[in-house]
Amino acid sequence: MTITEILPSLGHLLHERFDGACWPSTASADEHGDLIVGGLGLTGLAARYGTPCLVLDEAQVRARVREFRAALPDAELAYAGKALLCKGLVRWLAEEGASFDVCSAGELHLVRAAGVDGSRILVHDNGKTKEDLKAAVHCPGARIVLDSFEELDTLEGIAGPGQQVLVRVTPDVDAHTHRSIATGVRGAKFGFDLRAGEAAEAVDRVLRSPNLELLGLHCHIGSQVSGVDSYEAAVRFMVGLLADIRERFGVCLPVLDIGGGFRVRYTEEEPEFDLTGFADRVRIALHYECDRFQLPAPRLILEPGRSIVARAGVTVYRVLAVKGSTVIVDGGMSDNPRPALYGARYRMRLLGRRSSAATVPLTVAGRHCESGDVLGEAVPLPADTRAGDLLAVACTGAYHVPLQSNYNLIGRPPLLAVRDGAARVLLRREGERDLMARDLG
């Protein structure tokens, strides 16, 4: 039994308390129950742009990039575009000194269209098509992360002399995360297996290629990784591999990409990732292992994506109906499939009015024709939540826009940038013309 069940009158007080841990750093609650983000009230944005809508706090994005760059100033910060990508965001990140990790020809072309130089781009995916590789080859200065022998064969056939590459290695480090986002263990679909001899063979082939230049090694242990020790183990493993490559092939590789996957705090109960501790332990492990093997320390590359943009995002929904303990909103799995895919949990809040009702656990469900279209279970909301209310969902800046669909032929919502009291549309809402444009009858 909860305290609100014992003393229901306390429910509204607990609900109104604003804990900013999962919200943008500029967020605050006003006396009317509105949330102010980037100097603008979310209820006003919902009235102007409609719902659902996704709001992105520019100041939060920029501040997070600066935190990473301050923690490891000598490392290259390559933002993982798969988390969220649009030209406006790319320009913010480029202005803050970030590079970009892209997964496809489409992501590459978008980043280039935003004015990013090819020397600040890594092309990286476990299943690149020939078209993806051609786009990378035709982007001067772009570096390609090789993930399979088939990619290596294709690249050797289309690349000119001097094409810079990294070899992705599976380090067999268990990051203790959800199995769908664990990428560094044996048997995963990513990278060359060291223990099966694939990594050494890939390195050998690249070194003997007349057109490819081996810059270094790459690994990625997973996503939503909370343990700093997992990254430390990966660094020790990879430096040992660098030492082995020097002994076997006589080369010292200058670059080590240790990926991203740093945990994001989606609810107050979840731990915050220790960025300072991560930086300290990775730096110590890197230099200790390099000294032990008498290797020059390679330059590190980090690939944060989710941890840059997740907290900057807030989604606003309107309640369509309430059926018992189920609240139905005007979005759902088409704009946020993560609860259905991973069981993801979010912090939600009534928006635009204060309630004196007790806080009760409610299910927030989407509008789609699926029983699994549930955005949250046992969500603490006022018992008088009703049709027409607005709900704000925290920490929705990562993997929402990229994973959106048009299920039930519903248009994708807009992405709005806010900063210093001004809003602008980064991605407009889709309408019926957009939905029909691909249908040629």
Side-chain angles (χ1 to χ4, degrees), residues 208-228:
R208 289 188 288 106
S209 172
N211 291 333
L212 305 183
E213 177 187 345
L214 183 60
L215 283 183
L217 302 178
H218 178 288
C219 73
H220 193 291
I221 61 174
S223 192
Q224 280 295 83
V225 181
S226 57
V228 172

Side-chain angles (χ1 to χ4, degrees), residues 357-405:
T359 297
V360 296
L362 299 176
T363 296
V364 178
R367 60 175 295 186
H368 298 285
C369 301
E370 299 282 346
S371 297
D373 182 22
V374 173
L375 295 173
E377 295 180 339
V379 178
L381 290 170
D384 66 349
T385 298
R386 55 185 180 257
D389 279 342
L390 296 174
L391 297 183
V393 184
C395 210
T396 60
Y399 294 105
H400 286 233
V401 171
L403 289 173
Q404 286 172 358
S405 72

Side-chain angles (χ1 to χ4, degrees), residues 71-260:
L72 282 167
D74 296 327
E76 179 179 359
L77 190 71
Y79 170 74
K82 59 183 174 287
L84 173 64
L85 210 59
C86 63
K87 288 186 285 188
L89 172 65
V90 169
R91 293 188 181 107
W92 304 345
L93 297 169
E95 289 169 3
E96 296 297 334
S99 297
F100 295 87
D101 162 35
V102 301
C103 291
S104 66
E107 290 188 357
L108 173 60
H109 290 316
L110 188 148
V111 170
R112 291 285 283 158
V116 175
D117 186 78
S119 64
R120 296 170 68 179
I121 296 174
L122 289 95
V123 182
H124 170 208
D125 183 44
N126 72 285
K128 305 176 197 67
T129 66
K130 189 172 184 178
E131 289 69 31
D132 295 331
L133 292 170
K134 282 182 177 178
V137 166
H138 293 145
C139 178
R143 294 155 289 174
I144 301 172
V145 180
L146 292 171
D147 203 275
S148 69
F149 290 113
E150 289 79 6
E151 282 184 7
L152 207 166
D153 291 338
T154 301
L155 188 60
E156 283 187 299
I158 62 177
Q163 174 62 59
Q164 295 183 329
V165 301
L166 290 87
V167 168
R168 178 166 179 172
V169 178
T170 305
D172 198 17
V173 172
D174 186 353
H176 305 291
T177 187
H178 191 285
R179 63 182 182 85
S180 295
I181 48 179
T183 60
V185 294
R186 290 198 75 187
K189 66 176 184 174
F190 304 93
F192 293 93
D193 191 325
L194 175 71
R195 304 189 193 285
E198 295 177 352
E201 183 181 347
V203 167
D204 184 38
R205 283 189 52 180
V206 172
L207 291 174
R208 289 188 288 106
S209 172
N211 291 333
L212 305 183
E213 177 187 345
L214 183 60
L215 283 183
L217 302 178
H218 178 288
C219 73
H220 193 291
I221 61 174
S223 192
Q224 280 295 83
V225 181
S226 57
V228 172
D229 57 333
S230 297
Y231 290 102
E232 185 179 27
V235 167
R236 293 183 184 278
F237 178 93
M238 296 299 286
V239 172
L241 182 53
L242 289 173
D244 183 62
I245 289 170
R246 181 193 59 186
E247 295 303 312
R248 296 180 64 173
F249 303 107
V251 294
C252 289
L253 299 179
V255 172
L256 176 58
D257 188 330
I258 60 172

